[in-house]
Amino acid sequence: MQLGMIGLGRMGANMVKRLLRAGHACVVHDKSLEAMAVLEKDGAVGARELGRFVERLAAPRVVWLMIPAALVDDAIAELAPRLAAGDIVIDGGNTHWPHDIRRAKELAARGIRYVDVGTSGGVWGLERGYCLMVGGDKESVARLAPIFDALCPGLDAAPRLPGAERLGSAERGWLHCGPAGAGHFVKMVHNGIEYALMAAYAEGFNLLRHADAGLSARAANAETSPLEHPENYRYEFDLAAIGELWRRGSVIGSWLLDLTAQKLAEDPALSQFDTKVKDSGEGRWTIEAAVQTGVPAHVLSAALFDRFASRGEADFEGRVLSAMRRAFGGH
């Protein structure tokens, strides 16, 4: 099957490579000529201009956009006039699902189909495969099944569960979740959970790191709560070893733990990293959806706000607290 890929960053380029390995034909377009040249060596057909990109795709065309969410509308506005009825546009980025609903309606007026694909796998997806959460009409999704099958991890990626055969393509690593926007809605919640899992691991390892608090003297004054039993906090744990230990037989084992253990083994102090953690939007949208539907999301909310704090957004809050403390207590 032939597919056109627009956007050859960390995800898009590896997805093209995986498709080429599976025998699919790929036409690629990106502002980086170097990125296109690399994939041309692997067998992709590069097109510097968008018009040439569309011309090199056989009708009915399939165009996958793997670009930042903020750029998708502009890309579709430039692309749509060059497409024809029956063509399919796929957005595989992290888009807010209401935009999918709107775009599907707008493109349908031209006879163009729209499919949203929440894509998880990161830079490891080339070898591991990608978990694909798909939204769109049934006919388009069925037509794209060979593409999804090539990109997803496959049956061997996880132990097979009894009765899971009724779940169809979910066993292989992709799922038609529902109509327009459904794929990105599921991916949004997926990323909200990801935030919370990452926060839980981070807090746990941080507590282990401070389990030696009893080895250091604390100032005895009105400013500092005393450590009541310092003899209980004199452990100097090897965090890298604990991370490796938990990967084996523990109920909290996961791929995120694998990655954490790897980084701790390479650099136990994690000195190459700063404390700032970005959020790309999905965590915010998850909390907004929880508010709109009246669903409690305590842990997911805390994980999102923790990311805000990591970027210094709580600094002024801390100054306000310090000012109040000094004002009423003279501390």
Side-chain angles (χ1 to χ4, degrees), residues 9 16 34 43 59 65 71 83 112 129 151 153 190 195 198 211 224 245 255 265 282 296 312 324:
V16 169
E34 181 180 354
L65 302 176
L71 303 179
L83 299 179
I112 300 170
L151 289 171
H190 165 283
Y195 284 23
M198 292 172 69
T224 309
L245 170 70
W255 185 45
E282 301 87 347
M324 288 189 287

Side-chain angles (χ1 to χ4, degrees), residues 1 4 61 64 66 88 109 133-134 148 173-174 194 236 250 265 275 293 304 312 331:
M1 186 171 178
R61 305 170 188 86
W64 189 307
M66 206 64 191
I88 298 176
M133 294 144 268
V134 184
F148 300 147
W174 74 270
E194 177 186 298
E236 297 180 286
S250 165
T275 60
T293 56
L304 175 65
H331 302 293

